[in-house]
Amino acid sequence: MENQNKSAADRSKPQPKNTFSGNLGYILAVAGSAVGLGNIWRFPYLAAKYGGGIFLLIYLILMLTFGYTLIVSETALGRMTGKSPVGAFQSFGKKKWLKFGGWINAVIPILILPYYSVIGGWVVKYLFEYLRGHAEALASEDYFGGFIADSLTSEICFALFVIATFFVIIAGVQNGIETVSKIIMPILVVLALITAVYSVTRPGALAGVKYFLIPNFRNFSLMTVVAAMGQMFYSLSLAMGILYTYGSYLKKDSDIEKNTTQVEWFDTGIAILAGLMIIPAVFAFSGGDMATLKAGPSLMFITLPKVFDSMGMANIIGSVFFFMVLFAALTSAISLFETSVSTIVEELGVKRLPSCLIVLGISLLLGTASVLGYGTLDFVRIFGMQVLDFFDFLTNSLMMPVSALFTCILILRMVGFDGIAKEVKISSQFKRQGMYNFVMKYIAPFFLIVILLSSIASVLGWITF
Ligand code: PFF
C-alpha cells in the first residue's frame, strides 16, 4: 500500500497516469456509468410504487442538494488523492475507520454487478424475442412471469450479459464502447421521447401523468424518502467508489462543478422520460390498477411491450428500444466491472486477468442465486424479500448510506471544507459552496443515519411503511 507512505504534499499532486483525454471523455464515461437500467427500469417502478409525484419531488430535492454534495466530494477526493476509494481514504492515515470507509465503498459494486446483470439478461431476452418477431406474445399479461420462472432461460440470458461485459473488459475496448454510446445515447433519447409522447397521449393516460408529476402529500411515507435516496445513489453511481476512481483520472483543469451539473441533469432527464413512458401507460392500459403500479422490478417489462404493441411496428420499435437499453446497461455494467477489478488489482495485488476472472466468478455465483430466487428457489425469502430484491435492498438501503456517511466523516474530520474548496476551486467557481457546506455539516450525516436506521427497522419489521 504505497499510498500510506505518501506525505500530505504528495497527495495534492495531480496523477499523470490514465487521465481522461479531455472533458468530453470524462463526461461520457461518467454519463455512461450513470445512465443505465437505474434510469429506465428502476426509477419508474420506484416512482410508481412510492407515491408518484411526491417521490419525484423528493428525488429532485435530494439530487440537487445531497446528490450534488456527494458527487463533488467524491470527485474532488479522487482528484486530490489520485486514488480509488480504498487508497483515497488511506491517504489520510492508517486508522481502522479509514480502512473500513474505503473498503465499504469498494465492495458495493462487486455486490451490485451480479443482480444488475440479471436485469441485463432480461433485456437480452426481450431484445431477442423482438428480433424474432414475437411482439404480441411479449405484450401478453403472463409473459414476464413465465419467463423469470423459467430458471434455465433466465440463467442463459444473464450469463450472456455478464460474459459479454467480461470480454469487453479483458479486450480493453471499453473506451471504444463509451465512444459508440455517444451515438447510441442521443438515439435512445429521441426514441424515448417519441414513446413518452405516444404514451401520455393515450386515452386515460392523463391520470398517470398527474400521478407521476403532481405531488400528493397523502402518498408520502418515510419509505418514499428511503427509496428516493437509494435511487439517487444508484442512478448517479454514488457512494460506491466509482466517482473517486473517475475523479482520480480527472485533469486539474477540468471543471468539476460544471461536469457535475451536466451529469446530474442528464441522468435525471432520462429517468423522468422513462417515468413518462411507463407510468401513464399503466393508467392507459391497466386503468391505474394498484397491483400493476406496485409491480416492482417487473414493471418496465410488463408495461412497455403493451405500449409498443399498440403503436404498430412493435417488433421494430421494440428491437431498437431494447437494443439501446442493452447498450446503456452494458456501459454501466462495464464501469461496475472495471471498478471491481481495479480494487482487486490495486488492493490485493492480484494480476489483472485473474482479477477479471474473480469478478466474473462472483458475478456468476451471486447472479445465479438471484435468477433462481425467481424460479426454482421461488420459496426462498431473505427478511421477507426475494433474493434479487434483497441484494438491491442490502446495497442501496443499507450499505450506501453507510459508505456515504464515511465520505462525510472523512471530509468533516480529516479533509475539512477548506480542503475540498481548494481542490474544487482549482478548476471551478464553486458557486454552490454555501449550500455544499450547509448540507455536508448539518444535513447529510444526520439524514444518512435516519435513513439507515429506518431501513434496518423496516427490514426487522419494527416499522411498516
Ligand atoms: N448508475 C447506473 C444506473 O443507473 O443504471 C448503475 C450503476 C452503474 C451503479 C455503475 C453503479 C455503478 F458503479
Side-chain angles (χ1 to χ4, degrees), residues 391-460:
F391 277 115
D392 193 63
F393 182 82
L394 174 72
T395 47
N396 286 273
S397 302
L398 298 180
M399 294 176 77
M400 289 186 200
V402 176
S403 82
L405 196 58
F406 272 90
T407 296
C408 295
I409 300 174
L410 178 67
I411 292 170
L412 293 171
R413 287 193 42 189
M414 311 295 274
V415 187
F417 292 139
D418 290 347
I420 293 287
K422 202 170 145 212
E423 182 64 35
V424 176
K425 283 182 178 169
I426 296 176
S427 56
S428 315
Q429 278 183 307
F430 207 5
K431 288 188 215 134
R432 290 195 251 172
Q433 185 177 2
M435 192 218 32
Y436 176 95
N437 291 355
F438 183 78
V439 172
M440 188 51 85
K441 193 162 178 182
Y442 297 109
I443 303 190
F446 169 75
F447 196 68
L448 287 166
I449 291 171
V450 172
I451 294 284
L452 181 65
L453 293 180
S454 7
S455 300
I456 296 173
S458 88
V459 102
L460 295 176

Side-chain angles (χ1 to χ4, degrees), residues 33-39 109 112 116 231 233-238 240 242 267 332-333 335-336 339:
S33 163
V35 175
L37 294 170
N39 309 62
I112 292 187
Y116 197 83
Q231 173 60 15
F233 288 143
Y234 191 93
S235 191
L236 292 170
S237 304
L238 282 175
M240 48 189 117
I242 304 269
D267 188 72
S332 295
S335 83
L336 286 166
T339 333

